[in-house]
Amino acid sequence: MLRRATTIGACALLSLTLVSCVPEGPPTVDSGPARPARPAAPRPQTTAPTAPLVPPGPPILAPFEDTFDRAALGEDWNALSPGWHIENGRLCGKNARNRGIWLRRRLPVNARIEFDAYAENAIGDLKVELWGDGESGATSTSYTNATSYIAIFGGWRNSKHVLARLDEHGDDRLEIDIDPKSDDERERPVAVGQAYRFRVERADGKTIVWSINGVEYFTLTDPEPLAGPGHEHFGFNDWEVPVCFDNLKVTPL
């Protein structure tokens, strides 16, 4: 079954019901049945952090690239878990438990973010955060207090692809249910060891478009965009299974 917004207009209708939601259960590696829709509730207000744990880096004003061809993470990265490291020229993580690694350099409001992603386990669970605060991670088992948009490829034990705002378990998230027998490429599970080229773009200040290997998965138009102080960073994330990333490129638009 495929649930997605195919046009910006359709996504605008979805985004009008963005809410703060009760988590549906354990983290992204756990599956569960679809839930019935619930009445919309007001979204929480998000504010910029007042005491950054790590000073933010400079703004990205020209294309920025990181190929991770070195031994150490380096000063551009703020790792919230010791599970993040450089391995064979790739940035890899394991058992981060939604304590990701943030790029300290600051994103512009409009940018194209591209990178390669690899699942090292059949569970999949490739996850990134977009336009977050650059210092926050999960404070409980369920990641319901993010500061970012969250893109999850093969989450919930490789049963869903999801694009969420602030709460990866929220009723307002866009999702695709995975069907291994489907002819639709968007419904296929994440394969171990395969390179997936992610591309996430915001060009108009409010519309997030997420594609993988040239195929569009989601478009989300947000009437209250995450932008400006408190929402200027990109990060990779992980729950338990090993994942790796490479060839990051951020292009201002």
Side-chain angles (χ1 to χ4, degrees):
M1 173 182 175
L2 172 63
R3 272 208 300 137
R4 67 187 297 271
T6 58
T7 66
I8 292 177
C11 290
L13 292 176
L14 284 172
S15 60
L16 289 175
T17 60
L18 289 174
V19 295
S20 172
C21 307
V22 176
E24 66 180 354
T28 59
V29 295
D30 294 318
S31 61
R35 295 163 296 152
R38 289 177 290 182
R43 285 185 296 180
Q45 295 297 315
T46 58
T47 58
T50 56
L53 301 178
V54 176
I60 297 175
L61 303 177
F64 167 83
E65 298 186 50
D66 195 339
T67 59
F68 304 105
D69 293 322
R70 56 185 182 273
L73 293 173
E75 63 182 16
D76 277 330
W77 294 94
N78 175 25
L80 305 184
S81 163
W84 294 103
H85 60 282
I86 301 291
E87 181 178 328
N88 298 322
R90 302 188 301 182
L91 172 63
C92 298
K94 183 179 179 181
N95 291 321
R97 304 187 74 80
N98 285 324
R99 304 274 303 163
I101 181 168
W102 292 100
L103 179 64
R104 291 184 57 244
R105 295 182 182 233
R106 289 179 283 135
L107 299 173
V109 171
N110 295 322
R112 180 185 305 117
I113 303 166
E114 302 168 281
F115 55 89
D116 297 327
Y118 303 83
E120 301 296 306
N121 186 286
I123 286 177
D125 209 26
L126 295 169
K127 180 187 300 188
V128 297
E129 298 194 54
L130 309 141
W131 286 280
D133 69 1
E135 63 179 36
S136 297
T139 55
S140 62
T141 301
S142 293
Y143 196 17
T144 60
N145 60 335
T147 61
S148 62
Y149 301 103
I150 310 169
I152 307 169
F153 190 50
W156 291 267
R157 292 190 174 272
N158 220 345
S159 67
K160 294 179 183 294
H161 308 314
V162 165
L163 178 59
R165 181 190 188 278
L166 301 177
D167 179 358
E168 68 182 20
H169 300 278
D171 285 342
D172 61 307
R173 72 186 186 188
L174 306 182
E175 65 181 56
I176 294 172
D177 291 328
I178 292 173
D179 179 0
K181 298 180 180 179
S182 176
D183 293 330
D184 188 335
E185 185 172 346
R186 297 165 299 173
E187 295 181 353
R188 294 174 186 168
V190 175
V192 176
Q194 179 172 332
Y196 292 98
R197 186 65 179 174
F198 281 49
R199 174 174 168 167
V200 182
E201 182 173 299
R202 180 165 65 182
D204 64 355
K206 61 182 180 180
T207 304
I208 306 293
V209 181
W210 174 19
S211 302
I212 299 175
N213 294 343
V215 177
E216 184 180 316
Y217 278 66
F218 297 107
T219 298
L220 169 64
T221 297
D222 189 353
E224 298 180 31
L226 304 180
H231 303 291
E232 295 180 294
H233 294 273
F234 166 79
F236 297 107
N237 210 333
D238 173 67
W239 174 243
E240 289 182 337
V241 295
V243 294
C244 291
F245 304 94
D246 202 358
N247 299 317
L248 172 65
K249 183 176 182 179
V250 179
T251 305
L253 298 178

